[in-house]
Amino acid sequence: MNGSSDDERFMRLAIEKACTGVDAGQSPFGACIVKDGTVISCAHNVVLATTDITAHAEVTAIRAACRALQTIELSGGTIYSTCEPCPMCFSACHWARLSRIVFGVSIADAQRLGFNELPIAAVTMQRLGNSSTEVVSGCLRDENRALIETWLKRGQQVVY
């Protein structure tokens, strides 16, 4: 596990955005994209609101960052995700050329909490795909896990 105080600060923005999503009836995932110390986008998962299974927080944040910067290339940027990116989200980060992925809870944690995740770790995808994207795990893991557990206790969640 790595990370810095900046990583924690930006991860808290992703957590706040995930809380906004939860309050709107979405699942408890958030992401924030930062480049050169500036927040480019923050998004929460909108799968249920959009009936779009690809509308994970990371993909939604990447779409917003690309629109904001008028480019599909986000090199030099870092994405902060409350949960380890699934294979789809990792691929989107790789294709957008994000330099870093910093995440909180692992895919294994999400699986244990009931999500239908493919158990392929981001570092495995990085290695197999020869991706230059740096992966930093476990940033504010306990806070991110508490977010999901609080969401589960509401009893109105849809786990997919």
Side-chain angles (χ1 to χ4, degrees):
M1 175 173 41
N2 297 316
S4 67
S5 61
D6 278 345
D7 285 347
E8 290 182 2
R9 178 168 56 104
F10 293 126
M11 179 61 77
R12 284 195 171 89
L13 293 177
I15 292 169
E16 286 175 25
K17 189 54 84 167
C19 290
T20 299
V22 167
D23 290 343
Q26 300 302 299
S27 54
F29 303 108
C32 180
I33 296 178
V34 176
K35 188 170 181 178
D36 299 325
T38 300
V39 174
I40 306 301
S41 69
C42 278
H44 59 76
N45 185 301
V46 290
V47 166
L48 301 173
T50 61
T51 58
D52 177 358
I53 199 64
T54 69
H56 291 194
E58 297 94 333
V59 170
T60 303
I62 289 169
R63 289 172 180 161
C66 288
R67 278 192 307 273
L69 297 177
Q70 293 294 293
T71 183
I72 60 169
E73 205 249 302
L74 302 174
S75 63
T78 298
I79 189 166
Y80 296 89
S81 179
T82 57
C83 185
E84 182 173 11
C86 70
M88 174 186 70
C89 292
F90 181 89
S91 295
C93 292
H94 170 80
W95 290 325
R97 300 191 188 282
L98 282 161
S99 296
R100 296 175 72 226
I101 297 169
V102 178
F103 69 86
V105 295
S106 68
I107 286 177
D109 290 327
Q111 274 188 306
R112 281 190 292 275
L113 293 167
F115 284 90
N116 184 28
E117 297 291 336
L118 293 171
I120 305 169
V123 294
T124 300
M125 290 183 278
Q126 175 196 41
R127 180 180 48 79
L128 292 174
N130 197 28
S131 177
S132 63
T133 303
E134 177 187 357
V135 176
V136 179
S137 64
C139 182
L140 300 180
R141 181 180 183 272
D142 292 342
E143 290 179 38
N144 283 295
R145 185 174 174 85
L147 167 69
I148 296 172
E149 289 172 346
T150 299
W151 174 76
L152 285 169
K153 288 177 187 172
R154 287 185 170 201
Q156 298 174 340
Q157 73 283 351
V158 175
V159 177
Y160 48 86

